[in-house]
């Protein structure tokens, strides 16, 4: 059993009588099983066992396995959204010109470093979705790049879809490569800061000196700027 799954089981051995807390416990257990075994490994009985609740309680909250998986992905997406952007109800009040890009990158990297299994669940399910834009976190994440690209603070011709995918894939892969679970909270924070600093530096300066690659720079220059 993974460290995350063990933590869930240890935390939920006591019976939780609060329906909201019970639902949260079931969803957390389901997210661990999704990360470990994929959708095929998720059943209401297995989730109930991991969450230390009886099957009847699990069925009261989620009538079918499919509803449980759908709710789990939504739960993970909401946690991602709140960690990075704050309360979804107030998101329309945020002006892109006032956003601190380094702070936002740090919040995303911190969440991914502390919750790599949860992020893997979200990524796997969104990739399997026929329309990833239906996911609230992805819609806001890529949308934030789109709003930025339309300001005079951005370079012209940004491919928002590609930039969103590159950044997010890197953020979610880094904790796996860095073996986040094997580190202390302080070490995970240091690893998170390494990644957020570099991803923002790349956005600011890139990695290739334009004067050394003039011909390539001309080939990739946005059409509108040629």
């Amino acid at each position: 059993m993974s460290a995350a799954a063990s933590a869930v089981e240890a935390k939920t051995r006591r019976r939780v009588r609060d329906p909201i807390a019970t639902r949260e416990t079931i969803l957390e257990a389901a997210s661990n099983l999704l990360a470990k075994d994929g959708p095929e490994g998720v059943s209401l009985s297995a989730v109930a066992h991991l969450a230390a609740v009886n099957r009847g309680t699990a069925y009261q909250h989620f009538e079918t396995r499919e509803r449980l998986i759908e709710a789990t992905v939504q739960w993970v997406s909401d946690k991602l959204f709140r960690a990075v952007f704050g309360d979804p109800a107030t998101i329309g009040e945020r002006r892109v010109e006032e956003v601190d890009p380094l702070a936002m990158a740090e919040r995303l990297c911190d969440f991914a470093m502390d919750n790599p299994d949860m992020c893997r669940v979200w990524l796997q399910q969104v990739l399997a979705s026929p329309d990833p834009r239906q996911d609230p976190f992805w819609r806001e994440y890529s949308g934030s790049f789109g709003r930025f690209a339309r300001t005079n603070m951005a370079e012209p011709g940004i491919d928002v879809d590609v930039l969103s995918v590159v950044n997010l894939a890197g953020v979610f892969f880094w904790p796996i490569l860095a073996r986040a679970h094997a580190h202390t909270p302080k070490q995970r924070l240091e690893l998170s800061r390494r990644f957020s600093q570099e991803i923002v530096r790349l956005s600011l300066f890139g990695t290739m000196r334009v004067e050394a690659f003039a011909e390539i720079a001309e080939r990739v220059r946005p059409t509108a700027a040629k």
Side-chain angles (χ1 to χ4, degrees):
M1 182 180 295
S2 70
S6 298
V8 172
E9 187 169 18
K11 184 171 68 176
T12 57
R13 284 191 182 281
R14 62 186 184 282
R15 293 292 179 184
V16 183
R17 299 189 181 279
D18 179 354
I20 295 176
T22 300
R23 186 177 190 275
E24 188 87 358
T25 299
I26 293 170
L27 289 169
E28 187 171 355
S31 74
N32 277 282
L33 284 179
L34 271 174
K36 178 176 176 289
D37 301 322
E40 297 78 12
V42 176
S43 68
L44 280 162
S45 58
V47 170
H49 176 74
L50 183 59
V53 301
N54 61 53
R55 283 202 308 171
T57 299
Y59 276 102
Q60 286 176 3
H61 287 271
F62 306 99
E63 295 178 357
T64 65
R65 169 182 171 277
E66 289 72 24
R67 288 188 180 182
L68 172 59
I69 292 174
E70 180 182 358
T72 302
V73 176
Q74 292 173 350
W75 178 76
V76 173
S77 180
D78 183 67
K79 286 192 172 296
L80 261 170
F81 195 112
R82 292 176 183 276
V84 179
F85 300 116
D87 186 349
T90 63
I91 201 66
E93 302 168 9
R94 185 171 59 97
R95 296 181 65 248
V96 66
E97 293 85 358
E98 299 170 355
V99 172
D100 181 334
L102 180 56
M104 190 172 79
E106 287 176 348
R107 290 193 299 271
L108 176 57
C109 290
D110 288 351
F111 184 89
M113 189 60 65
D114 289 335
N115 304 277
D117 293 340
M118 196 177 290
C119 291
R120 189 161 68 249
V121 166
W122 178 86
L123 186 59
Q124 288 170 345
Q125 297 308 305
V126 169
L127 288 174
S129 168
D131 185 5
R133 291 170 297 181
Q134 294 301 311
D135 179 83
F137 174 73
W138 172 254
R139 189 165 58 245
E140 179 57 28
Y141 187 76
S142 59
S144 66
F145 279 109
R147 291 190 294 275
F148 167 73
R150 292 191 291 273
T151 70
N152 59 11
M153 298 185 298
E155 291 286 351
I158 292 174
D159 190 320
V160 171
D161 292 335
V162 171
L163 182 61
S164 301
V165 168
V166 168
N167 277 358
L168 202 57
V171 169
F172 286 172
F173 183 65
W174 175 239
I176 300 170
L177 185 66
R179 300 180 66 246
H181 284 319
H183 295 286
T184 66
K186 181 180 179 181
Q187 290 170 328
R188 288 199 298 272
L189 182 60
E190 291 171 352
L191 288 166
S192 174
R193 291 297 180 269
R194 277 179 59 191
F195 193 92
S196 57
Q197 290 278 339
E198 185 62 15
I199 203 70
V200 172
R201 188 189 72 82
L202 286 172
S203 294
L204 284 172
F205 305 110
T207 59
M208 300 166 67
R209 294 176 58 195
V210 175
E211 60 270 27
F213 297 94
E215 190 268 338
I216 291 177
E218 181 62 26
R219 280 160 49 196
V220 301
R221 185 173 301 168
T223 303
K226 289 185 178 179

